[in-house]
Amino acid sequence: MLVFPLALATIVAMAPSNTPLTFEQRVEAQRAIERVYWEHRIWPVENPGSKPPLEKVLPDDALRARVSRALKLSNALAVVWGRPVDGAQLQAEMRRMALSSNAPGVLQELLDVLGRDPRWIAEMLARPALVERLARNHYAGDDRFHGELRRQAEAALGQADLMDAGGVYHEERWSIGDETLAQPASEGTVTVPKAEWQLTLERLSHRVLEEDATSFRVSELLAREGNTFTVAVAVWEKVPFDTWFADREKELSTSVSEPTTPYVLLNPVENCVSDTWRPTRTGVPDGRREHSALWTGTEMIVWGGTGYMLEMNSGGRYDPATDTWKPISRGAGVPSPRTRHTAVGTGTEMIVWGGRDDSGPLGNGGVYDPSTDTWQPITAAPGSPAARSGHTAVWTGSEMIVWGGEEAQGCGSGGGRYDPASKDWSVLSQAGPSPRCLHTAIWTGSRMIVWGGYTSQNVPLDTGGVYDPKTDKWVATSAGADVPLPRAEHSAVWTGKEMIVYGGRTPIFEDTQLISRSGARFDPVTNVWTPIAEDLGRFHHTAVWTGKEMILWGGTLQAPGQYGSRYDPSTNEWTLTSPRFLSFTYATAVWTGTEVIVWGGNTSTGGRYAPATDTWVSTSTSADVPVPRMHHTMVWTGAEMIVWGGYSPGNGGALRDGKRYDPAIDDWKHVPEMETSRYLHSAVWTGTEMIVWGGFGWPGYENSGGRYSPTADTWTPTSTGTDVPSPRTSHHAFWTGTEMLVWAGAESRPTSTGGLYDPVTDSWRATSTGANVPLPGDLLAVWTGHEMIAWGAYRRHFDAPVQITGGRFDPA
């Protein structure tokens, strides 16, 4: 535990609660915060030099710039959007940090260096994270800055040819994923899960306008060939937030009006539960693939890659201690957009080099300093390697070694060594392994081991070499007994004495490749291979060594549904990790009075959104979480959310079970099964019971239901007697205060009939079918508190004109 600095302790004591913090006081507090982070930054074992002091990597002007940014963002919220930060928001952000930190020990140290003073913690920890997130969110949706782009994108919906609509045009290939196929999608194809394809196809049946934080995107389906589709896309890029803010910040003050509300200090909670995943949240960089990711000791740096099939030169830095992202500068010296590049860490900087863009392979890069958020360019020079992508790079402690990859004329076998201190390149010996791409390379502490990969003819290899930079010599890896099958796009990690190779793609016939389930361990001292146990099989995955185990995650898998594995070489055994956090598709949501809780769809994860603080918190993924499902229902009881029923392709289809979620303790409880399974049904909360009714089950459409009492934890069937509505799905259901109102929906065709159910008497009465009843069709409906208002469209048959229909229904 760090000792609270005496100088800062004096400053805290001398700053009365009714006196605003001065800029210099904030700078000293920020310096103390940065010392905590620096103490926890891992110094790479490959680097023989000693870890430098913080002052060497974080100059005073950079420190002051960080303090200034938080204050100017606070003023931007007040001046530009009329939303000054108040005490309630800062208190909520402090609560989020305490309850959501993945490194509570580090957070405790941060509280300690701030004297555990709630006011200083609110201003120096909560404010910077909160204002960064809020300002970015407000800017992303502000039509004053993006309105003209939006109008251009909207106009493209009516253009004859999307190519001429004014945006940056490109075409994408989309493919339907299939669990039974071992063959992965071809390079450059967007794979859509089979369960989501029908919805995706309907969405693309006409031009669609989508907006995210960075762009507007218009898409349309051009052609279909089997299970592969060609999609036309035009993109209008927004001015990046950091570019906009750089132009505005000179107008903004560094003086802020501090809230006078007293704060409550919350101690960090240990939330790092073994074998579970937690989503990263605020300020997340745009989605991408074929990017680089690097761990600095306190942050993960993500940079480059392809998003929406366009190369990127943006990125972000993720701090797991506070669960926040910071953007990476795109200012002077930043490398051009690229994919399939490499990134290595020196201990203080990240070196990006190579890759490719639309013009082909690249032979340049940049050095990024996270302490100052600045770049220094690396340009092609005498002795530097030829431009390439899909190569490898390792850090030796003083140099970056680049080798292999796809050059202009195919896969190469050359390389180079780059010294960031002198900014000079030197050429590697050419007497190394044969030319290859998409291979692996690891650094042992004294040598680089290269293995596997593809030839220029796309043939996987089972050869490699060990390179010694001191002698500039290569030694071939053993090709004898137990050498792994030829492969590429596999993973390789260094354990301290062995290289473990696993997965990838390997040939089974001359023109067919299979996802490999096998691997082996290579000892460079004895030049001997040892086979390892088989796992699920995957390629394009990631792998890390923990000091005891190799952990694999993601990629394209031979056995869909499992996302991670852990390999222990001491026992030669694999253990599956828990599922990852997925996006919400076919999810449902409830409002608690203070939060929106979203859950389900193609995943068994969810999130809680608090509009007051504009923040998300994930719902528990404990052992009691419901199985993934779609077309289910959720109700809010006043204290709990009840999830019930739905459809789960991987768990037997229609479901009859459910769970209760308590957000106060972030935990789930079991709900007993109802007699029949169903989905596309309805559910209402009466104040004491949840009433489930209708839907589609087995063998077909339902007009039965059940009442669930959380107090008794039991079900009671609803009446199927006189006046019960006909079987149906996708209907409307509301609680009137005394009855459940069911209306519309469809069985073989839409209906405009319904019924009112009284749970006290367990009886139904039919809704009126007389004058003014809306026509049956695609209608929306809401409950006002005493009336149902329905409105929508009706069409007698496919070629008939659309009629607008609607009405107000008073159940009394």
Side-chain angles (χ1 to χ4, degrees):
M1 182 69 69
L2 294 179
V3 178
F4 183 58
L6 180 61
L8 184 56
T10 304
I11 291 172
V12 172
M14 293 175 62
S17 59
N18 60 349
T19 303
L21 303 184
T22 68
F23 188 82
E24 293 303 322
Q25 288 172 333
R26 291 175 182 271
V27 169
E28 289 308 310
Q30 188 66 39
R31 198 185 312 277
I33 290 169
E34 297 297 341
R35 288 191 190 283
V36 174
Y37 288 137
W38 187 241
E39 286 294 323
H40 287 276
R41 180 162 292 176
I42 297 171
W43 186 251
V45 295
E46 299 89 353
N47 196 326
S50 59
K51 186 177 180 180
L54 175 65
E55 290 73 17
K56 290 288 186 181
V57 297
L58 185 63
D60 190 65
D61 57 349
L63 189 70
R64 291 174 175 274
R66 292 187 183 183
V67 175
S68 176
R69 180 181 177 89
L71 298 176
K72 289 183 176 181
L73 284 172
S74 296
N75 281 302
L77 288 168
V79 173
V80 180
W81 293 287
R83 295 176 179 268
V85 173
D86 60 28
Q89 289 175 292
L90 292 173
Q91 180 68 71
E93 181 67 9
M94 291 166 67
R95 180 178 184 274
R96 182 194 68 78
M97 288 180 169
L99 297 180
S100 303
S101 174
N102 288 342
V106 176
L107 186 53
Q108 284 281 18
E109 293 183 29
L110 293 172
L111 303 187
D112 288 340
V113 298
L114 294 174
R116 303 188 69 80
D117 185 304
R119 177 195 177 204
W120 282 73
I121 294 163
E123 287 297 320
M124 297 309 303
L125 284 184
R127 181 182 290 276
L130 178 66
V131 298
E132 186 80 43
R133 183 172 68 246
L134 291 179
R136 287 179 177 277
N137 287 347
H138 289 321
Y139 175 76
D142 196 324
D143 261 10
R144 291 177 296 174
F145 310 118
H146 315 305
E148 179 56 33
L149 276 186
R150 182 194 300 278
R151 286 184 284 276
Q152 292 177 29
E154 289 173 344
L157 296 173
Q159 288 278 346
D161 193 335
L162 192 57
M163 187 180 296
D164 301 324
V168 178
Y169 179 85
H170 68 279
E171 293 180 2
E172 300 175 358
R173 296 181 67 240
W174 290 35
S175 176
I176 303 176
D178 191 331
E179 296 177 351
T180 65
L181 292 180
Q183 275 294 100
S186 59
E187 188 63 35
T189 299
V190 178
T191 302
V192 179
K194 191 173 184 180
E196 300 176 18
W197 181 250
Q198 189 58 43
L199 185 67
T200 303
L201 188 60
E202 291 172 5
R203 183 171 62 86
L204 290 173
S205 61
H206 56 278
R207 284 187 187 170
V208 179
L209 172 61
E210 299 170 298
E211 178 185 1
D212 61 22
T214 62
S215 66
F216 298 94
R217 169 186 165 105
V218 174
S219 310
E220 71 172 333
L221 185 63
L222 288 184
R224 174 173 181 171
E225 182 179 347
N227 281 351
T228 301
F229 299 76
T230 302
V231 178
V233 180
V235 178
W236 288 259
E237 295 284 350
K238 298 177 181 177
V239 174
F241 173 81
D242 290 311
T243 302
W244 171 84
F245 185 67
D247 291 337
R248 292 295 299 264
E249 66 173 326
K250 56 182 174 290
E251 308 167 10
L252 298 169
S253 170
T254 56
S255 298
V256 296
S257 177
E258 294 179 29
T260 58
T261 309
Y263 299 108
V264 177
L265 177 63
L266 298 173
N267 284 316
V269 176
E270 177 61 68
N271 276 312
C272 191
V273 181
S274 177
D275 196 27
T276 59
W277 288 94
R278 178 184 297 274
T280 59
R281 287 184 288 275
T282 58
V284 180
D286 296 324
R288 62 195 66 202
R289 61 183 175 85
E290 296 182 327
H291 53 285
S292 59
L294 186 72
W295 177 246
T296 69
T298 58
E299 295 178 321
M300 174 182 71
I301 305 179
V302 170
W303 191 84
T306 300
Y308 284 140
M309 307 299 287
L310 297 174
E311 288 76 24
M312 311 171 82
N313 68 341
S314 62
R317 294 154 51 189
Y318 175 70
D319 184 344
T322 58
D323 191 19
T324 54
W325 286 87
K326 296 177 185 176
I328 291 177
S329 169
R330 298 175 71 178
V334 65
S336 59
R338 64 193 62 206
T339 185
R340 295 193 185 182
H341 55 282
T342 53
V344 300
T346 71
T348 57
E349 296 172 320
M350 173 178 74
I351 305 178
V352 169
W353 192 83
R356 66 178 301 115
D357 58 17
D358 287 342
S359 65
L362 300 169
N364 54 32
V367 179
Y368 176 70
D369 185 340
S371 66
T372 59
D373 192 30
T374 56
W375 289 90
Q376 294 294 326
I378 300 176
T379 57
S384 62
R388 64 191 65 203
S389 66
H391 54 287
T392 53
V394 299
W395 176 250
T396 70
S398 59
E399 293 180 318
M400 173 181 70
I401 303 180
V402 169
W403 192 85
E406 183 179 1
E407 302 175 13
Q409 305 302 319
C411 296
S413 63
R417 295 158 58 176
Y418 178 72
D419 183 343
S422 65
K423 300 183 180 180
D424 292 330
W425 286 93
S426 56
V427 179
L428 262 67
S429 166
Q430 297 299 303
S434 58
R436 62 194 65 202
C437 308
L438 298 174
H439 52 284
T440 54
I442 57 100
W443 179 249
T444 71
S446 60
R447 295 175 176 84
M448 175 179 71
I449 306 178
V450 167
W451 192 84
Y454 285 128
T455 67
S456 297
Q457 292 73 40
N458 213 35
V459 176
L461 298 164
D462 63 353
T463 59
V466 182
Y467 175 73
D468 185 342
K470 290 184 178 179
T471 62
D472 193 28
K473 301 291 185 184
W474 288 90
V475 175
T477 58
S478 168
D482 297 324
V483 65
L485 290 170
R487 66 192 66 202
E489 299 171 281
H490 52 286
S491 61
V493 299
W494 178 247
T495 71
K497 61 177 182 178
E498 293 178 316
M499 173 180 70
I500 304 179
V501 167
Y502 174 78
R505 289 197 274 186
T506 188
I508 52 175
F509 303 112
E510 183 177 350
D511 59 349
T512 305
Q513 294 183 22
L514 185 69
I515 302 174
S516 177
R517 299 163 56 96
S518 66
R521 294 148 49 189
F522 175 71
D523 185 336
V525 176
T526 62
N527 204 9
V528 171
W529 290 93
T530 303
I532 65 173
E534 290 191 345
D535 187 40
L536 300 171
R538 65 184 75 209
F539 72 98
H540 268 160
H541 55 284
T542 55
V544 297
W545 176 251
T546 69
K548 177 188 176 185
E549 296 176 313
M550 174 178 68
I551 301 179
L552 309 179
W553 189 79
T556 301
L557 283 79
Q558 191 173 53
Q562 304 294 344
Y563 298 98
S565 294
R566 295 152 42 196
Y567 173 71
D568 185 342
S570 66
T571 61
N572 194 29
E573 291 181 345
W574 291 90
T575 305
L576 297 179
T577 67
S578 63
R580 60 175 175 157
F581 186 85
L582 297 172
S583 60
F584 302 124
T585 304
Y586 295 113
T588 48
V590 296
W591 173 245
T592 72
T594 57
E595 294 179 319
V596 178
I597 306 180
V598 179
W599 187 88
N602 61 346
T603 174
S604 57
T605 56
R608 295 156 47 191
Y609 176 71
T613 57
D614 193 23
T615 56
W616 283 93
V617 177
S618 62
T619 57
S620 170
T621 54
S622 67
D624 292 325
V625 69
V627 297
R629 61 192 68 201
M630 59 187 75
H631 308 312
H632 53 286
T633 53
M634 296 198 316
V635 299
W636 177 248
T637 71
E640 293 180 318
M641 172 182 75
I642 305 179
V643 173
W644 192 84
Y647 183 82
S648 182
N651 294 278
L655 302 170
R656 67 179 73 185
D657 69 336
K659 295 289 176 75
R660 294 155 54 185
Y661 174 71
D662 185 343
I665 59 174
D666 192 26
D667 206 3
W668 294 88
K669 299 178 195 172
H670 180 67
V671 172
E673 292 186 345
M674 198 171 79
E675 184 177 348
T676 57
S677 56
R678 62 190 70 198
Y679 59 96
L680 292 173
H681 54 284
S682 62
V684 299
W685 177 249
T686 70
T688 58
E689 294 179 317
M690 174 181 69
I691 306 179
V692 167
W693 190 85
F696 190 89
W698 306 115
Y701 293 89
E702 297 278 357
N703 69 340
S704 63
R707 293 153 42 196
Y708 172 67
S709 168
T711 304
D713 199 26
T714 57
W715 286 93
T716 303
T718 60
S719 168
T720 56
T722 306
D723 289 332
V724 65
S726 60
R728 63 192 66 193
T729 66
S730 305
H731 49 282
H732 303 294
F734 304 102
W735 179 246
T736 70
T738 57
E739 297 173 306
M740 175 179 69
L741 167 60
V742 168
W743 188 77
E747 184 179 3
S748 58
R749 61 184 61 187
T751 179
S752 57
T753 63
L756 288 147
Y757 174 73
D758 184 342
V760 175
T761 61
D762 189 29
S763 61
W764 288 89
R765 62 188 177 100
T767 58
S768 166
T769 56
N772 298 326
V773 176
L775 298 169
D778 185 13
L779 281 72
L780 298 176
V782 297
W783 178 252
T784 70
H786 63 90
E787 287 184 320
M788 174 180 70
I789 303 178
W791 187 88
Y794 165 76
R795 177 179 285 177
R796 184 177 299 276
H797 53 79
F798 181 77
D799 296 326
V802 172
Q803 295 178 246
I804 301 302
T805 183
R808 295 157 49 190
F809 175 71
D810 186 338

